[in-house]
Amino acid sequence: METGTAGWDGEPVWRGLPPGLLRMRRLLLVVWLGLLTVVVGVLLALFAGSAWALAALLPPALLPVGWVLLGRNWRSWRYAERADDLLISRGVLWHEETVVPYGRMQLVEVTSGPVERHFGLASVQLHTAAATTDATIPGLDPAEAERLRDRLAELGEARSAGL
């Protein structure tokens, strides 16, 4: 039975997240900044005067910064299946790497909210005995999320059988 993937040099084979997650997050950024601009513009025009309503143009000015930051954050997410554990790496400024041993997993869930379903995405959430060590892989293709869930559940059962 194959128990993990590794490259030719023994290093784990990292997988990135699909671009659909980046598209979804960028669309949400545009929608939320648009709504914020309208609400701030209307409130300032009503209570402070029409000249102050120009301050509502500040949120759209932040769009290029948010666009770039979302791209960098999306590129930082990756995961790798190893022989005994799953690695999840993320973060641009604060790099975080989570190691979830297969024998410690208690529950593997695939979730997909309405926005994720619209973009054809799903998330895999791993629960362990310790409440603080839960891990999530967001924005996967649903078929990949289900494959990962089934594989992790199978490996979890095999690794915890000796406990």
Side-chain angles (χ1 to χ4, degrees):
M1 174 172 92
E2 182 189 358
T3 57
T5 57
W8 59 273
D9 56 354
E11 290 294 316
V13 178
W14 291 98
R15 294 181 183 190
L17 300 181
L21 178 65
L22 181 60
R23 282 194 297 272
M24 179 185 79
R25 287 181 173 173
R26 284 180 170 167
L27 178 66
L28 290 175
L29 174 71
V30 170
V31 167
W32 283 113
L33 285 178
L35 288 173
L36 184 64
T37 300
V38 169
V39 169
V40 169
V42 168
L43 290 176
L44 286 175
L46 286 176
F47 296 113
S50 58
W52 284 96
L54 292 175
L57 296 176
L58 183 61
L62 298 175
L63 182 63
V65 174
W67 195 272
V68 170
L69 291 178
L70 284 175
R72 295 183 78 187
N73 180 272
W74 172 77
R75 282 189 300 276
S76 74
W77 274 89
R78 57 189 185 154
Y79 66 98
E81 300 171 59
R82 294 195 309 184
D84 295 323
D85 48 36
L86 178 74
L87 299 175
I88 301 171
S89 176
R90 64 187 172 277
V92 177
L93 292 177
W94 284 270
H95 183 75
E96 185 175 331
E97 191 166 304
T98 304
V99 179
V100 182
Y102 296 135
R104 298 287 184 175
M105 288 188 299
Q106 293 188 331
L107 177 68
V108 182
E109 288 181 316
V110 174
T111 59
S112 184
V115 177
E116 285 181 311
R117 279 196 309 272
H118 178 76
F119 283 88
L121 301 172
S123 298
V124 174
Q125 186 166 12
L126 308 158
H127 298 276
T128 62
T132 59
T133 59
D134 293 348
T136 302
I137 304 173
L140 294 173
D141 292 326
E144 171 63 9
E146 291 176 8
R147 183 204 66 81
L148 190 59
R149 176 200 59 204
D150 293 344
R151 179 167 169 76
L152 294 175
E154 177 186 338
L155 290 171
E157 288 175 10
R159 295 296 192 278
S160 65
L163 295 178

